[in-house]
Amino acid sequence: MTIKRQSAEELLGLNKFNVDEGHPHIILDKSICAKCDEKPCLVICPAVLYTLKGGEINFDYAGCLECGTCRVMCKNKGITGWNYPRGTFGVSFRYG
Amino acid sequence: MSADEKFDAIIIGAGPAGAACAYVLAREGKSVLMVERGVTAGSKNVTGGRLYTYAMEMVEPGLYKRAPLQRKVVREQIMMLGTKSAVTVDYADFEFGEDVPQSYTVLRAPFDEWFAAEAEAKGAMVATGILVDELLEENGKIVGIKAGEDEMYADVVIAADGVNSLIGQKTGLRSDITPHLVGVGVKEIIELPDDVIAARFNLSGDEGAARLALGCTEGTSGGMFFYTNKGSVSLGIVFNPEQAAKRGKKIQEILQDLKMHPAIAPLIEGGTTAEYGAHLVPEVGLSGMPKKLYRDGLVMVGDAAGFGINTGVIIRGIDLAIVSGLAAANAVIEADGAAAVGPLYEKQLEKLSLMPSMRLFAGWHNILEMPRMFSEYPALANDAMRFMFTVDGKVPARMDKAMLQIVRRHVTFGQLLADGWRGYRAL
Ligand SMILES: Cc1cc2nc3c(=O)[nH]c(=O)nc-3n(C[C@H](O)[C@H](O)[C@H](O)COP(=O)(O)OP(=O)(O)OC[C@H]3O[C@@H](n4cnc5c(N)ncnc54)[C@H](O)[C@@H]3O)c2cc1C
Ligand code: SF4
Ligand code: SF4
């Protein structure tokens, strides 16, 4: 294969995930996000799980790499809950 | 609660810190429970990476020979990247590969799983797929852990839960991590045949190369890492998240740009990306560590305690995690009574040279935080090289004048002096 730029979705598609359906481990209060001007989460999430949809923050916990970067960078506290997924759920690295 | 329901030690997290601690405690006959949230030990862990072997030798001579390590590093390489150029230093030292090789490249999923299994074989109980939610406290002393509805008790709890240590924060010993304290690492595992890796990096047999580069982070504090494994290479970038947020370019895209850099792409050409990972890393050494690493009934080890050394050419975390796990185990073994463990742990950290090393490198992050290290200086090095190697039939500028001009193009003399002074003070 020839080396090429890959999108976040393509890259996440290579990983093994066991999504805890109905139990998001990261919870947002979108009314706080609406007032957050900088929105660093859009840039610093390595999995690009924070996106803007019609001016509103859209977040999908399914491809989370559990790095904690958004937790550390969210100064305006729109992230009201950040925990690791329950045991066995989430990403499973095969190489690491 | 009866005495036989109580462990000598419960370890939270089966990374290298936890596994080393569990291994030694179990070997010395202590009852140990190690709890890990991943389906298997290692399945949540991402590193560069390379492991400095001395740490394994401290746990037990010869132990590393059983470990699923990748390649022994004999080529240490440093790169300064320009937009379409690169200065590369390749230091080959074959003594690094002799006897007990100095370091090996490593993949954490297989390594951590192996280490936990070794601890289990010595008699430790390893419970995977369980997230520890809370610490149990009685009269100001930590007495155990809570996971879901289950409560488990021990004389000592060892927090080995890594850099984003939610448990560590619950101890009251450390405050929440701030963007200043950490770097964000993103990484791809790219599969390549071993003969291709050997040819591209000039390696034979199980030799390996480790490469770090500056000038690839769009001016953000940070750099590239590149390690040769068996059948794959690890390519990634570490960033300061605060600066990256200000620059506004997605971290994921910067890594993709790096893959396409003309000095990097040929190294991975024909490869297939097999995994994409991300993880935080403690970045500011001693100044990011909690003042106290223990309280009654609990000690903190590894990344949770903030151990980490980054000199720009050397990145150490796994080895420090292992040695701190060993220090905690030694303390538990030596102590008569749980209250003695913490102070003995601190003594062990001195004796095993961990704290002295942390103190020696305490100022280094100041050098690595100089913004010009990541754009102006790498660009300057590339421009100087371009001048030296350019022949176009015109009369070239005089060397001294040209060099002066190149320096001025990138920095002022005031900045040079300031950085020099800062560097001098940091050492
Ligand atoms: C990109 C990158 C590159 C690096 N490169 C290098 C390198 O080349 N060489 C080097 O020596 N170091 C390197 N490091 C640093 C090194 O990876 C760490 O220092 C090391 O992994 C720390 O080990 P640890 O055991 O303390 O923590 P970890 O390896 O993070 O282990 C913590 C464990 O605890 C588990 N856990 C966490 N919370 C809970 C809970 N509540 N309940 C149950 N389990 C829990 C986790 O799943 C994990 O298994 C790098 C780090 C990064 C991010
Ligand atoms: S933890 Fe990491 S991967 Fe998951 S959402 Fe936050 S920044 Fe993205
Ligand atoms: S940084 Fe935090 S508050 Fe701001 S938009 Fe992102 S999640 Fe919301």
Side-chain angles (χ1 to χ4, degrees):
Chain A
M1 214 181 91
T2 311
I3 279 297
K4 57 178 192 316
R5 269 194 186 75
Q6 281 163 293
S7 68
E9 296 89 77
E10 277 176 277
L11 291 168
L12 294 175
L14 305 169
N15 291 356
K16 199 172 144 195
F17 291 101
N18 179 16
V19 181
D20 195 356
E21 301 291 351
H23 288 97
H25 60 287
I26 299 173
I27 295 163
L28 300 191
D29 180 338
K30 290 192 181 173
S31 66
I32 300 179
C33 293
K35 288 184 224 130
C36 170
D37 291 332
E38 305 90 351
K39 293 189 173 45
C41 54
L42 295 174
V43 175
I44 48 79
C45 171
V48 199
L49 300 177
Y50 294 82
T51 50
L52 274 182
K53 255 197 194 146
E56 198 184 59
I57 282 280
N58 186 57
F59 173 70
D60 178 9
Y61 70 99
C64 179
L65 302 168
E66 300 165 34
C67 63
T69 311
C70 57
R71 191 178 83 77
V72 175
M73 286 299 296
C74 177
K75 272 194 265 183
N76 294 326
K77 307 268 186 264
I79 298 179
T80 52
W82 196 107
N83 205 342
Y84 290 113
R86 294 189 295 167
T88 72
F89 288 106
V91 69
S92 276
F93 294 112
R94 291 159 293 130
Y95 296 83
Chain B
M1 186 189 60
S2 68
D4 58 325
E5 281 175 32
K6 191 173 161 190
F7 292 92
D8 291 329
I10 292 177
I11 299 167
I12 306 170
C21 189
Y23 182 87
V24 174
L25 283 174
R27 187 187 65 200
E28 303 306 319
K30 298 286 176 187
S31 62
V32 192
L33 169 67
M34 179 162 68
V35 187
E36 164 59 44
R37 68 187 184 89
V39 192
T40 52
S43 64
K44 297 292 186 186
N45 300 341
V46 178
T47 195
R50 105 160 72 200
L51 165 63
Y52 287 98
T53 324
Y54 80 91
M56 295 296 282
E57 287 289 279
M58 282 170 80
V59 171
E60 196 170 288
L63 182 60
Y64 78 95
K65 289 183 191 157
R66 299 207 292 272
L69 297 168
Q70 301 294 315
R71 289 166 175 271
K72 58 176 189 190
V73 178
V74 296
R75 288 188 180 271
E76 302 283 356
Q77 305 176 334
I78 307 167
M79 259 182 149
M80 300 265 217
L81 290 170
T83 323
K84 283 192 180 170
S85 61
V87 181
T88 309
V89 177
D90 174 26
Y91 175 58
D93 190 332
F94 299 98
E95 257 181 48
F96 285 164
E98 287 172 5
D99 304 324
V100 176
Q102 169 172 272
S103 70
Y104 280 90
T105 53
V106 67
L107 294 170
R108 291 291 298 281
F111 178 78
D112 292 8
E113 191 176 13
W114 163 82
F115 210 173
E118 288 280 338
E120 206 166 19
K122 291 282 174 205
M125 203 171 183
V126 181
T128 56
I130 296 173
L131 178 71
V132 174
D133 297 311
E134 301 290 342
L135 294 167
L136 297 174
E137 193 172 331
E138 272 171 23
N139 307 320
K141 181 183 184 300
I142 304 294
V143 294
I145 59 164
K146 191 161 186 255
E149 295 306 306
D150 295 324
E151 296 188 348
M152 282 152 278
Y153 292 84
D155 285 338
V156 185
V157 173
I158 292 156
D161 56 329
V163 52
N164 187 21
S165 173
L166 302 185
I167 295 294
Q169 282 164 41
K170 289 181 181 162
T171 63
L173 292 172
R174 72 167 316 151
S175 49
D176 201 352
I177 39 174
T178 55
H180 171 69
L181 298 177
V182 289
V184 186
V186 290
K187 166 182 175 181
E188 285 184 32
I189 300 285
I190 301 168
E191 290 180 334
L192 276 171
D194 276 317
D195 55 336
V196 173
I197 295 173
R200 284 182 191 170
F201 286 86
N202 213 348
L203 304 166
S204 54
D206 61 345
E207 289 172 357
R211 185 180 290 206
L212 298 173
L214 293 180
C216 53
T217 49
E218 313 253 331
T220 305
S221 297
M224 174 199 89
F225 58 88
F226 194 123
Y227 296 96
T228 55
N229 309 312
K230 289 178 186 157
S232 72
V233 296
S234 301
L235 168 63
I237 311 188
V238 175
F239 288 88
N240 174 281
E242 208 163 31
Q243 293 178 19
K246 284 202 189 104
R247 304 260 164 182
K249 183 158 173 180
K250 289 193 184 78
I251 285 180
Q252 183 266 345
E253 282 173 11
I254 299 181
L255 178 57
Q256 299 312 304
D257 286 349
L258 177 65
K259 278 164 68 180
M260 307 314 287
H261 189 285
I264 300 296
L267 299 175
I268 52 176
E269 180 54 40
T272 308
T273 299
E275 188 169 271
Y276 180 59
H279 205 280
L280 295 179
V281 54
E283 277 286 63
V284 297
L286 190 66
S287 64
M289 292 181 68
K291 291 282 164 292
K292 218 168 136 222
L293 297 179
Y294 68 89
R295 51 177 284 193
D296 208 2
L298 179 134
V299 299
M300 282 170 42
V301 297
D303 272 11
F307 288 109
I309 292 173
N310 180 354
T311 67
V313 296
I314 289 172
I315 297 170
R316 295 170 60 183
I318 308 174
D319 58 321
L320 306 177
I322 291 172
V323 176
S324 67
L326 170 64
N330 288 348
V332 171
I333 293 159
E334 266 180 48
D336 49 356
V341 173
L344 282 170
Y345 173 55
E346 286 202 329
K347 279 204 183 120
Q348 281 286 332
L349 292 175
E350 297 294 332
K351 200 173 142 193
L352 301 178
S353 302
L354 205 46
M355 287 314 292
S357 300
M358 290 300 295
R359 284 194 287 269
L360 181 73
F361 291 110
W364 277 77
H365 68 97
N366 289 320
I367 302 182
L368 295 174
E369 275 165 19
M370 296 192 295
R372 284 179 285 277
M373 286 289 288
F374 307 97
S375 48
E376 283 85 351
Y377 292 137
L380 196 159
N382 278 277
D383 279 3
M385 287 293 169
R386 173 168 295 156
F387 171 75
M388 289 202 296
F389 288 104
T390 297
V391 176
D392 56 8
K394 294 182 194 133
V395 182
R398 273 180 47 157
M399 184 74 139
D400 52 351
K401 279 197 182 142
M403 286 299 167
L404 211 64
Q405 250 178 12
I406 288 171
V407 171
R408 280 201 182 125
R409 196 181 304 153
H410 297 286
V411 285
T412 66
F413 280 98
Q415 289 171 334
L416 259 185
L417 275 176
D419 289 350
W421 177 239
R422 197 168 165 179
Y424 172 74
R425 274 197 325 177
L427 303 179

